């Protein structure tokens, strides 16, 4: 399971989207990790005798990633003015 990594806040990241620490790149990385966890959870759910505690931890991490992705998307794409 991936370890906890402290990433820079959106406002601390450089404006260049190609930068290794840009919010856009971080968003891509989060989406990839979320997709990887989806696959792991799907495979673990079909295996007999899967470790329920590990499966719950994977699901909890996936939910945390989804929340982080939503926050980053909201920060990158502010709501339109009415």
């Amino acid at each position: 399971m991936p370890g906890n990594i402290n990433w820079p806040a959106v406002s601390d990241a450089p404006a260049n989207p190609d930068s290794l620490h840009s919010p856009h790149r971080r968003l891509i990385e989060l989406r990839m990790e979320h997709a990887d966890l989806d696959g792991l959870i799907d495979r673990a759910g079909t295996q007999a005798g899967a470790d329920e505690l590990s499966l719950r931890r994977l699901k909890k991490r996936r939910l945390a990633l989804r929340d982080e992705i939503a926050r980053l998307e909201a920060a990158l794409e502010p709501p339109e003015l009415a």
Side-chain angles (χ1 to χ4, degrees):
M1 191 155 110
N4 292 337
I5 299 174
N6 292 325
W7 294 94
V10 173
S11 61
D12 295 341
N16 182 356
D18 295 330
S19 170
L20 291 176
H21 301 290
S22 76
H24 294 283
R25 183 170 180 115
R26 177 68 180 137
L27 185 57
I28 291 168
E29 291 169 351
L30 290 172
R31 287 176 177 158
M32 289 170 54
E33 185 177 353
H34 188 274
D36 290 345
L37 281 174
D38 273 340
L40 266 172
I41 291 167
D42 287 345
R43 286 191 302 276
T46 60
Q47 293 176 351
D51 180 9
E52 290 299 318
L53 179 59
S54 294
L55 189 57
R56 281 187 294 196
R57 287 179 177 163
L58 289 171
K59 288 180 178 181
K60 186 175 181 178
R61 174 66 181 147
R62 181 178 61 179
L63 286 173
L65 283 171
R66 186 180 70 187
D67 291 344
E68 191 173 348
I69 288 168
R71 280 191 300 273
L72 190 52
E73 285 175 339
L76 291 174
E77 301 168 14
E80 294 182 23
L81 299 174

